[in-house]
Amino acid sequence: MTLLRQHLPEQARTYERQTSVVFLKTKEAFGGLSNMAGGYPLRVNRIVLLTSEALYQACRFPHLPDVQRIILAEKSPMTAKMRTKPYRADSRPDWDHVRVKIMRWCLRVKLALHWDSFGELLLSTEERPIVEESRKDDFWGAKPTDSQTLVGMNVLGRLLMELREAIKTEPKEALLRVEPLNIQRFLLLDAAIETVVSPTLSTPRTLHIVPAFFPTPSPPPAQISLFDTNPPSHAERADTVIPSQLHTANTASPPHVLDTSMNTTTTEPSTATTEPSLPHPPRNPQPYPAYKASGSPWIGQVPEHWEVKQAKHLGSFFKGVGGTKEDNVLLGVPCVRYGDLYTTHHSFIRRSKVFVHEGRTHDYTPIQYGDVLFAASGETIEEIGKSAVNLMRESAVCGGDTIILRPNSFIYPPFLGYATDCRTSQTQKAMMGRGTTVKHIYPSELKNLLMPLPPLEEQAAMVRYLDDACGRLDRAIRAKRKMLALLHEQKQAIIHRAVTQGLDPHAPRKPSGIPWLGEIPQHWEVLRLGRVTNLITGYPFKSECFTQKESATRLLRGINVTPAGLRWDSTVRWERAYNDGLDVFCLEVGDIILGMDRPIIASGVRAAQVEAKDVPSLLLQRVARIRPTERLDNSFLLMLLRGKLFAYYIAPIFTGISVPHLSPEQILNFKIVLPPKSEQSEIVRYVEAETVSLNTAIARIEREIALLQEYRTRLVSDVVTGKWDVREAAKHVREISYGEDAVDGEDVEGDGLVEDADEAEDAEG
């Protein structure tokens, strides 16, 4: 095959739309041919990339692994491409000479890992020319000159036609194995890119539970990947790992279980750990002897003797109805509200912390043992339809905005808990979700949820195995979270002392006049925040006009504001118009942002500083933008808002309020202590220096927790979809009461996006 020449006018082609396969949008019939198409995750060097576009863009910067990590962290392929703009001047020096080779290699990887779906799509184009329509790019695609004609070099389309011909003429085995390119510095995250082999050619290896969870008398285990598994199926589409952790999978040491009996008064930020005495692992599971197609690209192949059924064939669906939180009492009939499915009940409902008076139950929907409850709405598409199976034996009810599946044939209820909430089910439910600000899912869609169904005795064995394995993982996660809380507390103590007492312990003091503060340096001022800041709240953009167009401007909502900074996991956009009057709501680098609804969550105050990556964006209602005057340093203000002083101030404001909300007046009336501007800068530098080791320790533990959560998620998904046969392994686990390791109300799986039931229920418009 000859390398396509570039930038030569004679390479341009003319195509007739009527006789060609033309694709522009990924949702069109042939949209899967696009590099931007989702549903074709790739796995290179045991790292999962969500699209071939992400792989192609990452190959542009082999010498800049940090830029590659930025690309891999983006869920949207277009966003991944846009994130490369500031670094394109630093592309590999030979980029213009190798980019077509790299694109050809990326397409071959896509084919090898998705032979059935991508190969069939290519062959369905028959012998027609394949053309990527583009309004701007006539190198990779072709531009329309009129309604019927497109002109351009169409390099991507020609590479696709070349690959289509290879499917017809080359041995299949050769196409299922893609060797790395013979070019200099062909690297991904500082590692040489290895041969990519289709799962259909791979010999499945034994699944090894991470050795760090199950200590043995032998020396410490070698560094391994949490994702060093290779299931014997096409189920790679379920391999969506946490993007921000992709680069650690092959380089980090296995996370160790923290000693939960550690001295909590320690002042050292060390993350050194000791491992508790845990039972040895059960026998490693093995793949099943024979598999068959499931009919679902998300599930992949399933064991030959299993069934695959739509949820509508397992039972009946109906919607829950119920009253409001005003019906809650301390003791009464257990009640499950839809927000509890996000915050309290993870896969299983064993007991309820919410009760309603018996006289009010007629307004609610009764639930039975074995019912599966789905959340009918939520704020992120990824978690829409969050579900849990009811394992309470006593009479109970559920509230509104829930959907109930009541099985009409006997299925082991704990198995349903794992199966309906595993990754493959979550992926299907995400595709069913609708809406912009608030996402919705309906019974008519949930009925089509596909689930593998093993025989009853296998269901019980799988539950027994997963209870034991997940229990170990959950204990490790809880131990690490306890350490994390101690480190955060230590960091808060350093910040609080510095911003309220200053750096000179011998400075003269005076009463502050603030009851919970005491004395402050004599030369400091005490004044309202409103005297040294300008505050505005966001504009009430209409949710029905939200868009997902990449060209539109992002809207900063409360859900995007976290104690760790601004995050854009869930994004909506607004199409700007000339002279639309919205400039006043534009954010600038350095602005301080405060979430006004539930400003304090489990991990701290929802205050953040706008960085370069966060602009351009517009401020939505119920979020405050605070700009300090010349007298107040931005970073000092952020420390004040994230510190104990602000928490002490708002605590009495929220007492007895079910949905805490700060008004602009309450924010501006916050009394702050104000040192001179030069001293503020000294304090900021001091705090940054003193918390470096703490921040490093916190980041490490957060990364380990994320890896443990991902390992748990992958393990559950692989077991319930039949990638591993745990029947024999389940015989060797200890007998435990179901779910005994779980702690109600503690999120061992979530990412902290929704920290409270009220936060889940409060739609932002």
Side-chain angles (χ1 to χ4, degrees):
M1 302 175 203
T2 59
L3 180 64
L4 292 173
R5 291 177 295 161
Q6 303 172 37
H7 305 304
L8 297 177
E10 62 268 23
Q11 287 288 322
R13 301 283 194 276
T14 301
Y15 301 93
E16 295 300 323
R17 188 183 298 273
Q18 195 169 8
T19 58
S20 304
V21 172
V22 180
F23 61 93
L24 173 63
K25 299 180 179 179
T26 59
K27 300 300 182 183
E28 296 172 344
F30 292 96
L33 299 174
S34 170
N35 240 24
M36 301 289 178
Y40 298 95
L42 309 179
R43 190 171 187 154
V44 179
N45 288 15
R46 301 191 187 96
I47 296 171
V48 175
L49 303 97
L50 300 184
T51 61
S52 52
E53 180 67 22
L55 178 58
Y56 171 77
Q57 294 294 340
C59 289
R60 186 174 190 145
F61 306 98
H63 55 302
L64 299 174
D66 288 337
V67 176
Q68 289 184 327
R69 292 185 180 105
I70 292 172
I71 295 168
L72 301 186
E74 293 295 340
K75 293 182 179 179
S76 162
M78 182 57 71
T79 305
K81 181 179 179 180
M82 292 300 102
R83 292 298 297 274
T84 68
K85 276 191 172 182
Y87 310 100
R88 288 181 185 173
D90 294 322
S91 300
R92 56 181 299 148
D94 59 349
W95 178 243
D96 285 339
H97 299 285
V98 301
R99 57 175 177 164
V100 174
K101 282 186 178 180
I102 290 174
M103 180 63 80
R104 175 186 286 116
W105 177 82
C106 291
L107 294 175
R108 289 212 160 213
V109 171
K110 183 175 178 180
L111 175 64
L113 297 179
H114 300 280
W115 177 265
D116 290 337
S117 54
F118 189 55
E120 289 176 5
L121 183 61
L122 277 170
L123 292 176
S124 69
T125 63
E126 300 172 339
E127 299 297 328
R128 290 177 290 172
I130 300 175
V131 185
E132 180 183 38
E133 180 178 352
S134 175
R135 298 182 180 89
K136 298 180 180 179
D137 185 358
D138 60 358
F139 175 75
W140 291 113
K143 296 179 182 178
T145 57
D146 54 45
S147 61
Q148 294 300 322
T149 308
L150 301 101
V151 176
M153 293 178 66
N154 189 36
V155 174
L156 178 60
R158 292 157 70 181
L159 288 175
L160 289 167
M161 289 185 276
E162 176 187 276
L163 190 57
R164 179 181 65 190
E165 189 62 25
I167 296 175
K168 298 175 182 178
T169 58
E170 295 183 26
K172 177 180 177 181
E173 292 72 17
L175 293 172
L176 293 179
R177 184 181 185 89
V178 185
E179 301 291 342
L181 290 176
N182 185 23
I183 59 176
Q184 292 183 346
R185 295 186 63 81
F186 196 42
L187 307 174
L188 185 60
L189 302 183
D190 275 336
I193 291 179
E194 303 168 359
T195 301
V196 178
V197 181
S198 169
T200 59
L201 290 182
S202 304
T203 302
R205 288 170 286 178
T206 302
L207 172 65
H208 295 287
I209 303 298
V210 179
F213 305 149
F214 310 104
T216 66
S218 58
Q223 295 185 353
I224 62 173
S225 164
L226 280 177
F227 312 106
D228 192 15
T229 60
N230 196 4
S233 74
H234 291 291
E236 296 297 336
R237 298 189 185 204
D239 268 342
T240 310
V241 300
I242 301 173
S244 61
Q245 303 299 340
L246 288 172
H247 63 281
T248 66
N250 294 312
T251 58
S253 299
H256 294 279
V257 178
L258 294 176
D259 181 1
T260 56
S261 63
M262 63 178 291
N263 181 1
T264 58
T265 61
T266 181
T267 59
E268 294 297 321
S270 172
T271 56
T273 61
T274 57
E275 297 179 356
S277 177
L278 294 175
H280 287 285
R283 291 186 182 181
N284 288 320
Q286 303 291 328
Y288 283 85
Y291 286 85
K292 66 181 180 181
S294 69
S296 166
W298 309 110
I299 297 173
Q301 294 181 322
V302 296
E304 196 171 45
H305 62 289
W306 285 22
E307 296 180 274
V308 179
K309 290 188 175 183
Q310 290 181 312
K312 63 185 177 183
H313 298 306
L314 303 181
S316 56
F317 281 88
F318 53 95
K319 297 192 70 172
V321 296
T324 65
K325 290 186 177 181
E326 281 66 37
D327 297 334
N328 290 0
V329 294
L330 291 177
L331 291 174
V333 178
C335 177
V336 180
R337 301 193 184 277
Y338 92 94
D340 300 335
L341 296 171
Y342 289 101
T343 60
T344 303
H345 307 300
H346 304 293
S347 301
F348 314 104
I349 304 168
R350 296 177 299 276
R351 50 188 174 271
S352 177
K353 293 183 177 180
V354 178
F355 303 90
V356 296
H357 192 277
E358 188 173 2
R360 296 286 298 152
T361 56
H362 62 274
D363 291 331
Y364 290 78
T365 300
I367 56 175
Q368 302 174 2
Y369 177 85
D371 285 351
V372 180
L373 275 65
F374 299 85
S377 65
E379 292 189 347
T380 62
I381 199 68
E382 292 80 11
E383 288 207 335
I384 190 67
K386 197 81 170 74
S387 60
V389 64
N390 177 34
L391 300 178
M392 297 185 292
R393 296 284 184 178
E394 67 266 38
S395 298
V397 296
C398 69
D401 219 7
T402 56
I403 299 170
I404 301 100
L405 165 61
R406 179 160 296 163
N408 55 21
S409 58
F410 188 73
I411 302 173
Y412 193 40
F415 172 79
L416 269 182
Y418 282 122
T420 57
D421 203 38
C422 72
R423 174 175 285 161
T424 53
S425 293
Q426 288 175 352
T427 302
Q428 294 180 70
K429 289 184 284 187
M431 296 177 66
M432 301 172 184
R434 304 177 187 175
T436 50
T437 306
V438 180
K439 316 298 181 183
H440 299 280
I441 196 168
Y442 301 96
S444 58
E445 294 161 328
L446 279 174
K447 289 179 179 180
N448 298 318
L449 181 67
L450 274 175
M451 288 187 294
L453 201 62
L456 187 60
E457 62 274 11
E458 280 186 58
Q459 297 175 28
M462 293 158 75
V463 167
R464 185 176 179 183
Y465 179 86
L466 288 174
D467 281 354
D468 181 78
C470 292
R472 295 162 184 263
L473 289 162
D474 293 347
R475 287 196 299 273
I477 291 170
R478 288 198 296 273
K480 289 184 180 294
R481 283 188 169 166
K482 289 179 181 178
M483 169 62 88
L484 201 59
L486 293 174
L487 293 173
H488 277 298
E489 180 64 27
Q490 188 174 344
K491 181 179 177 180
Q492 278 295 316
I494 293 172
I495 295 173
H496 182 71
R497 182 172 182 82
V499 300
T500 60
Q501 301 299 312
L503 304 181
D504 182 3
H506 306 295
R509 306 277 158 174
K510 68 178 180 182
S512 67
I514 302 175
W516 51 81
L517 182 56
E519 294 186 336
I520 61 172
Q522 196 170 48
H523 62 291
W524 287 20
E525 295 182 71
V526 177
L527 68 167
R528 292 172 54 253
L529 181 64
R531 290 184 56 187
V532 287
T533 60
N534 297 306
L535 180 149
I536 68 165
T537 58
Y539 184 77
F541 294 93
K542 294 182 179 180
S543 59
E544 58 266 25
C545 298
F546 289 171
T547 180
Q548 294 296 332
K549 291 181 180 178
E550 293 287 341
S551 59
T553 305
R554 290 179 297 186
L555 296 182
L556 181 69
R557 300 179 292 161
I559 195 173
N560 303 123
V561 186
T562 78
L566 300 181
R567 52 188 290 179
W568 299 95
D569 305 64
S570 178
T571 306
V572 296
R573 297 174 180 269
W574 188 265
E575 197 83 63
R576 294 290 306 268
Y578 175 72
N579 200 25
D580 57 9
L582 297 176
D583 289 349
V584 67
F585 300 102
C586 290
L587 297 178
E588 298 177 2
V589 174
D591 285 344
I592 304 301
I593 304 299
L594 179 65
M596 300 171 68
D597 286 340
R598 195 169 299 282
I600 296 185
I601 55 179
S603 51
V605 176
R606 294 171 56 228
Q609 190 166 9
V610 176
E611 302 176 9
K613 67 179 179 61
D614 303 315
V615 295
S617 54
L618 292 165
L619 194 69
L620 193 68
Q621 64 181 351
R622 288 150 60 175
V623 182
R625 185 194 70 195
I626 308 172
R627 286 181 179 167
T629 64
E630 289 297 323
R631 297 185 60 192
L632 181 58
D633 181 270
N634 294 55
S635 298
F636 188 80
L637 171 59
L638 183 63
M639 287 196 298
L640 284 172
L641 293 175
R642 285 180 171 176
K644 294 182 178 181
L645 193 63
F646 188 62
Y648 293 153
Y649 165 70
I650 62 179
I653 295 176
F654 291 159
T655 301
I657 298 177
S658 59
V659 183
H661 174 82
L662 275 177
S663 68
E665 292 74 21
Q666 289 167 331
I667 298 171
L668 295 173
N669 285 332
F670 169 47
K671 285 188 177 181
I672 65 170
V673 288
L674 189 69
K677 185 74 173 288
S678 59
E679 194 171 346
Q680 296 174 36
S681 300
E682 290 178 12
I683 291 172
V684 170
R685 288 193 295 270
Y686 168 81
V687 169
E688 289 175 347
E690 288 295 306
T691 57
V692 165
S693 58
L694 284 168
N695 290 334
T696 301
I698 288 170
R700 176 184 169 183
I701 294 178
E702 287 176 339
R703 177 176 60 86
E704 291 176 348
I705 290 173
L707 288 171
L708 288 169
Q709 290 170 332
E710 168 59 24
Y711 184 85
R712 185 190 194 278
T713 300
R714 176 63 186 269
L715 177 65
V716 171
S717 183
D718 283 353
V719 170
V720 301
T721 57
K723 305 304 178 286
W724 303 108
D725 183 355
V726 300
R727 290 174 293 184
E728 184 64 26
K731 297 176 182 177
H732 301 276
V733 303
R734 63 193 179 101
E735 188 68 48
I736 61 174
S737 61
Y738 179 73
E740 68 177 29
D741 286 304
V743 175
D744 281 349
E746 184 168 27
D747 180 8
V748 296
E749 294 180 317
D751 62 3
L753 253 182
V754 180
E755 297 274 358
D756 190 278
D758 293 315
E759 188 175 346
E761 289 189 34
D762 291 338
E764 297 182 65

